[in-house]
Amino acid sequence: MVKRNDVAACMMESNKADGGVVADAGAGALTVMETERLVIRMLADADMEALHSFMGKPEVMYAWEHGFSEAEVRQWIDRQKARYRTDGYGYFALMLRDSGTIIGQAGLMKNLIKGKECVEIGYILDDAHWHKGYATEAARKCMQYAFVDLGLREVYCSIRPANTSSIRVAEAIGMTPCGSHIIIYNGKSMPHLLYKSDRE
């Protein structure tokens, strides 16, 4: 498993041969964590098609209010790879252990919330795999990674008020409401509920 700042070192190695990485190969070298049903690994350039297959759906990208174009997915991958280098974490690919199929993403991101730098947990799942517990399974593992491997003291989650599925995931992994805030995206003010979990 990749631990702590080893993610950044692993990212440097993967960049050398990224053009040769395919969506279901090289997972061992890029793996950050595993669960009973999932391999959670760093994103690679070759994941573009797999990610666009669900990030292109408006119903999946509900929080952004639009499906992503191929160019936007490419920018997304580049942004996560930059996060790996600078922070040691970001959104990671969720792969089914038994097939290697990418079914979503989950991970940790640094963000400013009300002027304070915080680490947020996030998850995006292909609607073809909703209601099977994958988001909760991945989010719980990411929370463990945040507290045990990274030594973080607290983790937040921002959720659109109508996104009851994401709220249920946050509550299932022990997060509790702690207020709200506004995210500005494409010039639009988007209210979000805030959930938080503290390291025990």
Side-chain angles (χ1 to χ4, degrees), residues 37-89:
R37 298 182 294 172
L38 300 170
V39 173
I40 303 173
R41 67 156 173 82
M42 290 182 289
L43 296 174
D45 288 344
D47 295 330
M48 168 72 191
E49 183 177 352
L51 296 188
H52 187 252
S53 69
F54 61 87
M55 293 184 75
K57 301 176 183 179
E59 59 270 32
V60 171
M61 304 304 289
Y62 164 84
W64 288 264
E65 296 190 355
H66 69 95
F68 277 32
S69 67
E70 289 187 358
E72 288 170 323
V73 174
R74 168 61 55 212
Q75 292 170 356
W76 176 275
I77 293 172
D78 289 343
R79 188 156 61 250
Q80 305 320 312
K81 290 169 68 177
R83 282 173 165 154
Y84 302 157
R85 289 190 294 268
T86 59
D87 302 327
Y89 48 81

Side-chain angles (χ1 to χ4, degrees), residues 117-187:
E117 185 176 83
C118 301
V119 175
E120 289 190 79
I121 191 168
Y123 32 87
I124 304 168
L125 198 70
D126 187 347
D127 60 345
H129 298 277
W130 287 357
H131 311 302
K132 298 178 182 178
Y134 290 123
T136 301
E137 185 174 328
R140 183 175 287 116
K141 190 66 176 181
C142 287
M143 186 74 73
Q144 178 186 6
Y145 183 72
F147 290 144
V148 176
D149 295 284
L150 300 178
L152 300 179
R153 299 179 61 85
E154 58 188 18
V155 174
Y156 291 83
C157 187
S158 297
I159 305 174
R160 301 294 295 275
N163 194 343
T164 55
S165 294
S166 285
I167 290 172
R168 284 195 295 270
V169 171
E171 292 175 342
I173 63 173
M175 305 192 85
T176 56
C178 65
S180 62
H181 71 135
I182 301 293
I183 292 177
I184 307 298
Y185 179 72
N186 284 343

